[in-house]
Amino acid sequence: MNILVTGGAGFIGSHVVRRLVKNYANYKIYNLDTLTYAGNLENLHDIEDAKNYTFLKGNIVDESYINEIFDTYRFEGVIHLAAESHVDRSITDPLAFVKTNIIGTVNLLNAARNLWKDDFSNKRFYHVSTDEVYGSLGAEGLFLETTAYDPNSPYSASKASSDHFVRAYGETYGLPYVVTNCSNNYGPNHFPEKLIPLFINNIIENKPLPVYGDGKYTRDWLFVEDHARAIDLVFHKGRNHETYNIGGFNEWQNIDLVKLLCKQMDEKLSRPDGTSEKLITYVKDRPGHDLRYAIDASKINKELGWKPSVTFEQGLEKTIDWYLDNEEWLNNVTSGDYQTYYGKMYN
Ligand code: NAD
Ligand code: DAU
């Protein structure tokens, strides 16, 4: 089977690519990535020479390039993760999100449809999406697969739009697809613009920890390898034209999460208890900040037997250990453009 993974040099994509390359020697895995600031081939250095792995540098917005690679490699499956993924960046530059997340997805859908249109059997377009498309919850309730879409940020609006296109290609042209909507991931290789890796890096550097608003926003956190395992399972066993929610059964208010992180970091760095907490600084809130996300993952649990394999405390410890053991990775991604971004966002 020839499988195209898009965005495989990014955070979640690199874990998905590694898993597929290691577990399916009989597949050919093609990783298509344009290597934006978030894409990093260092994430995949351990498998880069594997016989069943090929890296393709290209942009999903480039229609003729996309058509060309579908023609050349005759993919039978697509696992689509490439995206602009950071909410704060979408507030500054929405159009970049429209281009990659919407137009890029439609280019891939068109190429898959053109290649597969005479025989859809044993083909699959897997679109990796987010729980943010459902908008914000109040204090109660969970997102179900049937929850109405209600996106609030340019990022979530672009992901919602791409989800609708995937579904529409299923309804209109019969394209075989699956969509998953997952909650917040954390783990190794996470770019330090997102809450957990940003705060780990700032604690190492003794810099302020910028908590937005009152810190009482809630997210449902999932260890990235558990997401990669869910993607593998849904790609192989999920039902066509279905959506599956994926979540960690693990809700945390930001401020409680940050305090736990501070405690674990103090222990790892042998600093006196309470040192990192002193870095917490409340800053101006994110515009349109969604109050709470929480996933009901009972469909994937009942149908496919998936559930998270690590507790949050275990996953967080693994994550911290990875960052402390990979100082060079962290230094490389926080030099150059990162400093400009950080200055604009936080100073
Ligand atoms: P990321 O930002 O770490 O990685 C995105 C990757 O896509 C990068 O390697 C980047 O170079 C590549 N890319 C971006 N634009 C591209 C383009 N035009 N052409 C080709 N490649 C391009 O993102 P992530 O956090 O790994 O998220 C991956 C996917 O999972 C996204 O679709 C995101 O919406 C979804 N998702 C993320 C989370 C999360 O918590 N991070 C949760 C649920 C769903
Ligand atoms: O829910 C899934 C989504 O999770 C994914 O679709 C997105 O790609 C991913 O980026 C993530 O979005 P969030 O906006 O929830 O993640 P982020 O790490 O940016 O923020 C988590 C929470 O922490 C959120 O309430 C905002 C807050 N925050 C974030 C940053 C970067 C802060 O308080 N301070 C910060 O500096």
Side-chain angles (χ1 to χ4, degrees), residues 7 9-13 32-36 38-39 58-61 81-85 100 128-130 155 159 182-185 190 194 227:
F11 167 47
I12 302 169
L32 167 66
D33 199 299
T34 199
L35 301 180
T36 65
N59 195 323
I60 58 170
V61 180
L81 296 108
E84 289 292 341
S85 69
T100 287
V128 176
S129 192
T130 170
Y155 163 68
K159 290 297 289 187
C182 187
S183 64
N184 287 63
N185 286 216
H190 205 182
K194 312 280 168 64
H227 188 188

Side-chain angles (χ1 to χ4, degrees), residues 22 147 213 258:
K22 288 199 165 170
T147 301
V258 169

Side-chain angles (χ1 to χ4, degrees), residues 62-218:
D62 182 346
E63 187 186 357
S64 57
Y65 174 76
I66 294 301
N67 291 337
E68 190 187 308
I69 59 168
F70 272 75
D71 205 33
T72 308
Y73 299 107
R74 321 295 295 177
F75 306 120
E76 291 147 291
V78 175
I79 304 181
H80 174 36
L81 296 108
E84 289 292 341
S85 69
H86 192 36
V87 172
D88 292 328
R89 289 186 193 252
S90 81
I91 294 167
T92 318
D93 183 11
L95 199 54
F97 286 68
V98 172
K99 286 180 185 158
T100 287
N101 298 1
I102 306 177
I103 297 174
T105 301
V106 175
N107 282 339
L108 291 165
L109 287 167
N110 281 336
R113 180 184 160 228
N114 284 338
L115 181 64
W116 300 342
K117 62 180 183 294
D118 295 330
D119 182 11
F120 280 140
S121 57
N122 299 318
K123 310 290 191 309
R124 172 152 279 187
F125 190 102
Y126 183 154
H127 180 58
V128 176
S129 192
T130 170
D131 60 356
E132 300 202 9
V133 298
Y134 298 124
S136 184
L137 292 164
E140 300 291 317
L142 298 170
F143 293 135
L144 297 164
E145 286 81 0
T146 49
T147 301
Y149 276 32
D150 189 19
N152 291 315
S153 72
Y155 163 68
S156 53
S158 68
K159 290 297 289 187
S161 172
S162 63
D163 292 12
H164 291 321
F165 270 104
V166 173
R167 189 176 167 280
Y169 273 60
E171 292 300 310
T172 307
Y173 308 114
L175 188 86
Y177 76 86
V178 277
V179 176
T180 50
N181 296 84
C182 187
S183 64
N184 287 63
N185 286 216
Y186 69 98
N189 310 97
H190 205 182
F191 191 79
E193 62 185 349
K194 312 280 168 64
L195 181 74
I196 291 180
L198 179 88
F199 280 30
I200 291 176
N201 187 45
N202 283 14
I203 290 171
I204 294 171
E205 295 190 355
N206 271 308
K207 280 166 57 176
L209 306 178
V211 173
Y212 295 161
D214 61 5
K216 298 211 169 131
Y217 295 88
T218 300

